[in-house]
Amino acid sequence: MLRPSASFILDQRESLSSPPPNLAPPATMAPKPPIQAGSGAGYYAARAEHHAVSSHWLAQAQAAVDGGPAKPGLSESHGDRHRDRENASFSVIDEFNFWRKKPDLAEAVAAIMALAAVIRTSEATTMMELEIELKKASDTLKSWDTTSISLSAGCDLFMRHVTRTSALEYEDFDAAKARLIERGERFGEISLRARKTIAMLSQDFIFDGCTILVHGFSRVVLEVLRLAASSGKLFRVFCTEGRPDKTGLRLSTELVGLGIPVKLLIDSAVAYNIDEVDMVFVGADGVVESGGIINMMGTYQIALVAHSMNKPVYVAAESYKFARLYPLDQKDLAPALRSVDFGVPVPTAVEVETSARDYTPPQYLTLLFTDLGVLTPSVVSDELIQLYL
Amino acid sequence: MVIDPKVRQVGFVTPGASSEPMKHIIESSSMASSSSELTPSGNSLSPVMIPPPRHAIPVPVPSPLRRPSIGDNMPLGSYNPSDSLLGASPTISPSSRNDDDNPYSGIPSVDLSDEFSPRWIDRTNSGTISNTKADDFGHKLPQLASSFPFSSNLTAVSMVKMPLPRRGAGEVETNHSMSSKPLKEKTSKAERRALQEAQRAAKAASKETGGDKQAVAFGEGANPNAKQAKSAKPPPQKKDGAPGASSGATSEKKGVDRPPEKERKKDVPAPRMQFDDTQRVEKAKRRALVKPTETMNRVELFRHLPQYVHGAQLPALESKFFEVDQMHPHPAVYRVGLQYLTGDISGGNARCVAMLMAFQEAIKDYTIPLEKVLIRDLTAKINSYVSFLITCRPLSISMGNAIKFLKARIAKLSVTLSESEAKAALQSDISRFINEKIVLADKVIVRHAVTKIRDGDVLLTYGSSCVVEMILCYAHELGKQFRVVVVDSRPKLEGQALLRRLLAKGLSCTYIHINAISYIMHEVTRVFLGASSVLSNGTVYSRVGTACVAMVAHAFHVPVLICCEAYKFHERVQLDSICSNELGDPDALSKVHGRKDLNHLENWANNEKLQLLNLTYDATPSDYVSMIVTDYGMVPPTSVPVIVREYLREHLLI
């Protein structure tokens, strides 16, 4: 249960170059009191324990953030902006859009940052008010793009993580609010950090001379490959074309820029080439409770082919993509539609499948690389249970 | 005696729900030993290590006024792990371990269980035996049996006092340091022989072992000291002791042929009772309220399970219902027991709720006896009720969890509470359990599961699960358009009742028997199943046939959703449905209702080569389960241990 965050890897690496981070653990991260089974306060003890669980990996991740290369301008610019708009009416969407403009920032992280800003600018005077305000903001964000799994999952997780602190039970409002802000910002920083952590973790799985099949354009996967290439590993990558968005073309351009040998396949050539492939690497739109993933159309197909050929399928996904969804089959999802361009006119009588993503059941996945560590699919549910219940 | 090769020690070692009685012994004995006011010698080796005054302890506690009778001395051994406790206490345990004298020592246990016990009982009952002792025993047996589950204060007190006149504390200690085995051998050889003799008579001298030694012993009757030439224990000890107590105690150790039991006990929690262990079964029989009749042709692989005897028990229990006997369980409990027996109450939730309500009633009427502590006396009472219910029908895992909860509540009662306050607290705890763990949990499950029903679905369900029924009805109320396939199977045909209720609500249904499952499965889009329990490896323990349905659904790639309240989860792990199961009435298989012409199995019981097996439960491997819908949400079967670990303990025990 108390799995240390994977970001200790970053700690190890960076502590070599940088002075040890200032790691004064806040009171919330004090060693958790042992739960006295049978005491009437068992419920709260359990809550406190879960809180401790979350803050445990958070603490480590934060340590990594503190010790790591500072994100220049991030916090300062935010502070400035915050002062600028102190008098202006605050809008979550504006805040969200501000963050979203940053090129390397995932939507969900932008949402998390925006929500953290909500707490900061809130003028609520009671905890309940603040929670309602936060809820409203998160609903607004979610409705901004209802099909995005990571967006709603990120919002939910933020709500869950930030508001679930036993400190709220006894502290006065200002202190509690400060605690919320602190937790919110920490969560945001960890989310920003997640991709690097995952890249570090997955290095052990990429060996010299291997061939990696990649489907879709995933920034996490790109980060993984970039780090592998920069650390001198020799491997080649097969990119699927990724119709209709041509995501594979985009990825292959990026990879060639990094000096990685790339071969581009049309989507239907996966099975033809699977013999040469050593592992499949995909990202994920969302990781669901069963441990399966929801990802770009074609992932399921590739996972099936890989499974039948006994090739490992690795998923790189940040933990804020863990969603409380449990699809039973492909159609058991809110569909995200996308127009498909066939290049030639299609008769109107012909029905076109426009769904943009599919669901890969957990039995076809080998491992998930997340910022919580390298997990088997079944652990996802355990993590979600601990976070949500 | 050679350990019976057929004894299968496959019981689950988790001190779980199904091993309730055994657990109680451990608990209560430790409790007793810690309470100094009951320990004469004041240390842990004290005589109170004898099954302490707990009614439900499955130790046949005879009335103190009874003379040691042959009936108490059956060589059929211990019934429960308390034997090892007894063995640790030298004040009792005078059982003989003299294998040479046992006429049955060389006989494989198959004989004992197959031929010996049933016939033996038949004969004693029919009274065809000329031997008076045997007759005597035949009469004693029901008496003893009827006195069992409520051995109440009287016997309890005698048990505690018993060792006092017999030996001092110092002797207790010294003897304790010795192995208890020699003591056992020396004390009761004669008794044992006497018993053997009685049995031999009962068996019409079919066995030729034992010889004149036994005859002599038999002549001595109940005097246990007659033949003890080698006895290290002075005869007066036997005589001085409270006769009832000593007979009860001695009978405990009869024919115990598990020397390593004491050691085993240390390492491993008590296994569940294995019903192919003849000795234990005999013990159990003696303490039963009603002497069960034996089923004739037992299936070899399932011998270790309690054999189906309900039909035979019912008349006897019914006739006793109006008897005014302080030994009886509370009338509410008695009624529920009868309802279990007749099958009027079935289904995990219904049984659990009925049991809890009966306990609530019993607690309401409960008064603390003089010089008793509520916490301990009430626990003992509950234990006795539970063991009564077990004689009616084996407990389900959910009931075990509920009992665990109730006992935890009792144990946690503050000592400062007055009697009425404590009773009120317990009653409200029970109501809360029913409300939160069953009623509300069902509502939450329904809410979750209904999100998985889409328009145009074809839902398949098997048997009759009340949660699934609620889900279907709720989805129908929401206006979802779907069709239901109700799969049913002989002999219970529970699906028909479900079908009728669903049709009354206006759902469109298809009714098939399980034989046609592979035919219908290709059009099904979801399978909803109930469960009796979900074990921590994700195995679903449910009505027999569920595994078959789940397997076919898996083969057709149809998602299987198990709907189960979290209080039914259990930390046990089970791989097959053999080692723990419940046997139903084998006659139900041979008779087809409304088909008089199908009488090919009419006298099946007379054919020794035929055994009918009517299993009640089976275990569905987690591979076939797509999702478990529980009050904590929808989880994959791999997450059951997380819920068990994180939530069940605190919710059930706090």
Side-chain angles (χ1 to χ4, degrees):
Chain A
M1 190 171 90
L2 279 166
R3 187 181 317 99
S5 164
S7 46
F8 65 88
I9 289 188
L10 295 182
D11 286 347
Q12 285 165 3
R13 211 166 84 111
E14 282 150 8
S15 62
L16 297 176
S17 53
S18 62
N22 184 16
L23 257 187
T28 48
M29 282 178 247
K32 65 184 163 72
I35 292 187
Q36 292 161 350
S39 77
Y43 172 71
Y44 292 111
R47 276 185 64 144
E49 190 191 28
H50 289 131
H51 154 71
V53 169
S54 320
S55 57
H56 185 68
W57 61 263
L58 282 172
Q60 298 217 10
Q62 168 151 44
V65 171
D66 292 346
K71 293 239 166 201
L74 197 78
S75 49
E76 301 95 86
S77 74
H78 194 276
D80 296 342
R81 246 171 3 87
H82 176 47
R83 252 170 274 124
D84 292 346
R85 54 168 72 207
E86 202 139 68
N87 298 322
S89 66
F90 178 80
S91 152
V92 204
I93 296 292
D94 289 350
E95 184 77 21
F96 176 58
N97 284 331
F98 166 79
W99 284 106
R100 215 159 50 84
K101 276 183 222 131
K102 297 197 175 279
D104 263 352
L105 215 56
E107 227 170 56
V109 181
I112 288 166
M113 295 314 245
L115 284 175
V118 169
I119 306 181
R120 215 178 303 116
T121 54
S122 161
E123 279 148 20
T125 51
T126 64
M127 222 50 227
M128 202 63 204
E129 230 177 293
L130 184 59
E131 242 181 286
I132 292 169
E133 200 172 313
L134 206 53
K135 183 91 184 63
K136 228 183 267 169
S138 113
D139 286 347
T140 326
L141 282 177
K142 280 197 234 173
S143 62
W144 184 81
D145 181 2
T146 47
T147 56
S148 168
I149 295 167
S150 64
L151 181 61
S152 62
C155 288
D156 286 348
L157 281 169
F158 180 87
M159 292 287 289
R160 199 67 203 174
H161 173 74
V162 167
T163 57
R164 214 173 86 158
T165 158
S166 51
L168 299 185
E169 320 270 341
Y170 48 84
E171 279 175 24
D172 66 299
F173 176 71
D174 284 337
K177 189 176 165 186
R179 168 69 49 76
L180 288 193
I181 291 171
E182 182 199 327
R183 285 174 70 88
E185 286 183 348
R186 211 185 315 140
F187 192 78
E189 276 160 10
I190 286 160
S191 305
L192 284 170
R193 196 79 195 148
R195 220 173 273 158
K196 284 223 158 33
T197 313
I198 295 169
M200 288 299 301
L201 280 173
S202 41
Q203 291 312 302
D204 291 346
F205 293 83
I206 299 174
F207 50 91
D208 274 341
C210 69
T211 304
I212 304 170
L213 177 69
V214 180
H215 180 68
F217 183 89
S218 157
R219 280 172 292 195
V220 197
V221 173
L222 182 59
E223 182 74 36
V224 169
L225 297 178
R226 181 185 291 143
L227 187 61
S230 68
S231 59
K233 289 202 166 123
L234 297 173
F235 58 96
R236 61 175 175 157
V237 175
F238 288 0
C239 273
T240 56
E241 182 192 4
R243 288 267 292 149
D245 310 348
K246 307 257 197 293
T247 52
L249 292 174
R250 206 171 129 206
L251 185 69
S252 53
T253 325
E254 297 262 357
L255 291 175
V256 166
L258 296 170
I260 301 168
V262 183
K263 185 172 168 188
L264 201 57
L265 320 171
I266 54 170
D267 291 333
S268 42
V270 169
Y272 176 80
N273 283 292
I274 198 77
D275 273 346
E276 298 175 50
V277 170
D278 291 308
M279 68 190 77
V280 179
F281 246 99
V282 291
D285 285 359
V287 181
V288 297
E289 251 182 298
S290 59
I293 58 164
I294 294 167
N295 195 28
M296 185 192 149
M297 185 61 85
T299 308
Y300 180 37
Q301 198 169 308
I302 290 172
L304 279 174
V305 172
H307 182 75
S308 69
M309 301 296 279
N310 282 329
K311 307 287 182 187
V313 179
Y314 298 132
V315 179
E318 301 91 330
S319 63
Y320 57 75
K321 285 176 175 168
F322 286 16
R324 284 219 93 184
L325 292 171
Y326 202 133
L328 286 167
D329 50 36
Q330 299 301 326
K331 304 290 153 56
D332 197 11
L333 288 169
L337 301 182
R338 152 196 69 181
S339 63
V340 183
D341 178 21
F342 287 95
V344 288
V346 176
T348 47
V350 173
E351 205 184 335
V352 176
E353 174 64 67
T354 54
S355 182
R357 59 197 185 199
D358 60 17
Y359 163 62
T360 309
Q363 62 262 37
Y364 303 115
L365 305 178
T366 314
L367 287 173
L368 294 150
F369 300 147
T370 76
D371 45 321
L372 306 179
V374 180
L375 314 178
T376 60
S378 66
V379 180
V380 174
S381 162
D382 301 0
E383 290 291 334
L384 279 170
I385 287 174
Q386 286 179 359
L387 209 51
Y388 276 100
L389 294 185
Chain B
M1 185 191 278
V2 182
I3 290 189
D4 173 10
K6 293 285 179 188
V7 173
R8 225 178 277 106
Q9 297 294 348
V10 290
F12 297 104
V13 292
T14 30
S18 52
S19 59
E20 279 302 325
M22 311 180 179
K23 230 188 131 202
H24 304 160
I25 291 153
I26 299 159
E27 286 168 7
S28 52
S29 64
S30 61
M31 235 198 293
S33 58
S34 64
S35 67
S36 55
E37 80 272 17
L38 284 175
T39 15
S41 55
N43 63 28
S44 61
L45 305 173
S46 73
V48 196
M49 284 295 281
I50 304 158
R54 296 282 163 269
H55 311 257
I57 293 154
V59 176
V61 183
S63 142
L65 303 176
R66 284 183 61 228
R67 288 176 64 238
S69 70
I70 309 175
D72 293 325
N73 303 334
M74 285 192 301
L76 296 170
S78 63
Y79 162 64
N80 60 42
S82 72
D83 285 335
S84 57
L85 291 173
L86 294 169
S89 162
T91 54
I92 46 168
S93 79
S95 142
S96 80
R97 299 203 39 79
N98 194 333
D99 294 341
D100 299 336
D101 288 337
N102 185 349
Y104 301 112
S105 57
I107 301 168
S109 73
V110 188
D111 273 355
L112 289 176
S113 54
D114 251 355
E115 305 167 19
F116 170 65
S117 20
R119 289 187 196 170
W120 176 67
I121 284 187
D122 276 356
R123 289 182 196 174
T124 47
N125 285 345
S126 61
T128 52
I129 312 160
S130 56
N131 188 299
T132 52
K133 285 292 174 188
D135 272 350
D136 182 34
F137 171 56
H139 294 172
K140 293 278 186 195
L141 186 57
Q143 265 181 34
L144 194 128
S146 67
S147 75
F148 161 62
F150 359 71
S151 53
S152 90
N153 322 331
L154 191 61
T155 47
V157 168
S158 78
M159 286 296 280
V160 176
K161 283 179 182 167
M162 165 190 68
L164 281 178
R166 293 209 285 177
R167 60 180 65 193
E171 195 177 349
V172 169
E173 272 190 85
T174 51
N175 279 341
H176 185 78
S177 58
M178 302 160 52
S179 157
S180 60
K181 272 199 256 170
L183 280 179
K184 288 184 212 163
E185 282 187 26
K186 286 155 191 165
T187 44
S188 65
K189 198 188 294 174
E191 281 184 353
R192 191 151 162 243
R193 285 204 206 99
L195 174 57
Q196 288 161 357
E197 188 58 29
Q199 286 164 345
R200 283 209 315 147
K203 291 203 76 176
S206 63
K207 309 285 186 211
E208 287 291 336
T209 45
D212 51 355
K213 274 206 272 180
Q214 290 192 343
V216 176
F218 183 54
E220 298 285 342
N223 183 348
N225 311 310
K227 286 283 290 177
Q228 293 179 357
K230 290 175 288 181
S231 172
K233 211 177 184 182
Q237 280 185 355
K238 274 303 261 194
K239 282 174 179 167
D240 291 347
S246 67
S247 77
T250 49
S251 70
E252 269 317 289
K253 297 317 291 174
K254 292 301 160 221
V256 177
D257 61 348
R258 280 178 303 280
E261 186 171 46
K262 198 166 63 174
E263 291 89 66
R264 197 183 58 194
K265 176 90 182 189
K266 286 175 196 155
D267 311 317
V268 188
R272 283 186 298 181
M273 173 159 171
Q274 300 292 300
F275 283 79
D276 50 355
D277 187 339
T278 340
Q279 298 169 329
R280 286 172 174 248
V281 169
E282 286 303 326
K283 286 268 183 206
K285 221 181 279 166
R286 271 183 290 140
R287 68 183 184 86
L289 188 58
V290 170
K291 182 164 60 71
T293 53
E294 289 286 322
T295 39
M296 290 295 289
N297 308 1
R298 304 208 271 171
V299 181
E300 183 63 33
L301 195 56
F302 292 88
R303 256 172 215 285
H304 60 286
L305 298 174
Q307 302 297 311
Y308 180 87
V309 286
H310 300 177
Q313 273 184 342
L314 185 61
L317 272 178
E318 269 178 343
S319 67
K320 283 187 182 157
F321 186 71
F322 292 105
E323 272 178 27
V324 181
D325 186 346
Q326 59 155 353
M327 306 300 221
H328 263 62
H330 189 277
V333 179
Y334 204 100
R335 187 188 62 223
V336 169
L338 286 182
Q339 281 168 326
Y340 289 169
L341 196 59
T342 54
D344 287 350
I345 296 182
S346 65
N349 284 344
R351 277 169 71 196
C352 191
V353 171
M355 178 189 73
L356 286 174
M357 306 248 280
F359 285 170
Q360 217 173 5
E361 197 105 321
I363 289 173
K364 202 169 100 194
D365 296 344
Y366 171 79
T367 50
I368 307 177
L370 279 180
E371 300 184 7
K372 290 273 178 183
V373 186
L374 177 128
I375 292 176
R376 295 172 55 189
D377 188 59
L378 189 57
T379 309
K381 268 266 192 298
I382 296 290
N383 284 349
S384 77
Y385 296 159
V386 169
S387 58
F388 168 73
L389 293 180
I390 291 175
T391 60
C392 296
R393 190 178 162 188
L395 292 183
S396 66
I397 288 172
S398 55
M399 290 161 76
N401 280 343
I403 292 166
K404 221 188 279 174
F405 164 81
L406 178 59
K407 288 213 201 135
R409 295 306 311 182
I410 294 176
K412 292 213 168 72
L413 279 178
S414 160
V415 197
T416 53
L417 286 183
S418 75
E419 181 178 338
S420 59
E421 280 171 343
K423 279 162 61 180
L426 285 178
Q427 286 178 58
S428 77
D429 279 339
I430 294 178
S431 307
R432 196 167 54 88
F433 185 90
I434 295 176
N435 208 17
E436 283 178 12
K437 294 285 159 203
I438 302 177
V439 178
L440 280 176
D442 280 347
K443 281 191 181 148
V444 174
I445 291 173
V446 167
R447 291 285 141 80
H448 281 303
V450 106
T451 61
K452 291 295 162 202
I453 300 179
R454 296 167 302 188
D455 281 349
D457 265 349
V458 180
L459 311 178
L460 182 141
T461 184
Y462 172 71
S464 169
S465 158
C466 64
V467 192
V468 172
E469 184 185 343
M470 286 158 74
I471 291 166
L472 298 177
C473 292
Y474 185 66
H476 183 68
E477 280 168 27
L478 291 181
K480 302 210 178 196
Q481 299 297 312
F482 61 93
R483 200 156 63 80
V484 180
V485 179
V486 177
V487 182
D488 209 350
S489 72
R490 286 205 67 239
K492 293 221 169 184
L493 296 177
E494 293 163 311
Q496 292 186 355
L498 174 70
L499 186 70
R500 172 180 279 272
R501 290 193 294 269
L502 290 181
L503 287 175
K505 290 244 166 70
L507 284 85
S508 59
C509 298
T510 308
Y511 179 77
I512 60 158
H513 272 204
I514 199 166
N515 324 43
I517 185 85
S518 62
Y519 166 79
I520 202 88
M521 195 53 91
H522 71 91
E523 62 190 65
V524 173
T525 56
R526 296 272 190 277
V527 175
F528 282 89
L529 298 171
S532 170
S533 179
V534 179
L535 311 177
S536 64
N537 59 344
T539 300
V540 174
Y541 188 67
S542 188
R543 170 72 60 212
V544 68
T546 303
C548 172
V549 172
M551 189 170 67
V552 174
H554 179 78
F556 281 76
H557 296 288
V558 180
V560 177
L561 293 88
I562 302 289
C563 307
C564 181
E565 300 86 352
Y567 84 102
K568 291 178 178 171
F569 286 17
H570 198 272
E571 62 199 1
R572 173 200 290 178
V573 166
Q574 192 169 327
L575 300 175
D576 56 34
S577 40
I578 297 169
C579 44
S580 168
N581 212 320
E582 187 182 330
L583 297 181
D585 184 5
D587 280 328
L589 298 184
S590 61
K591 294 190 188 109
V592 182
H593 185 70
R595 287 291 299 275
K596 287 261 161 46
D597 53 317
L598 282 178
N599 55 358
H600 313 293
L601 291 178
E602 209 158 53
N603 293 316
W604 65 273
N606 298 336
N607 188 342
E608 283 180 12
K609 291 190 175 162
L610 174 64
Q611 295 138 1
L612 298 191
L613 175 65
N614 183 6
L615 281 179
T616 310
Y617 296 106
D618 65 14
T620 308
S622 60
D623 301 354
Y624 302 148
V625 178
S626 318
M627 172 196 286
I628 293 172
V629 190
T630 177
D631 18 338
Y632 294 108
M634 296 179 283
V635 299
T638 50
S639 286
V640 174
V642 179
I643 290 184
V644 169
R645 184 180 68 216
E646 299 287 311
Y647 299 100
L648 231 47
R649 189 154 298 143
E650 73 190 52
H651 283 296
L652 286 179
L653 299 184
I654 288 177

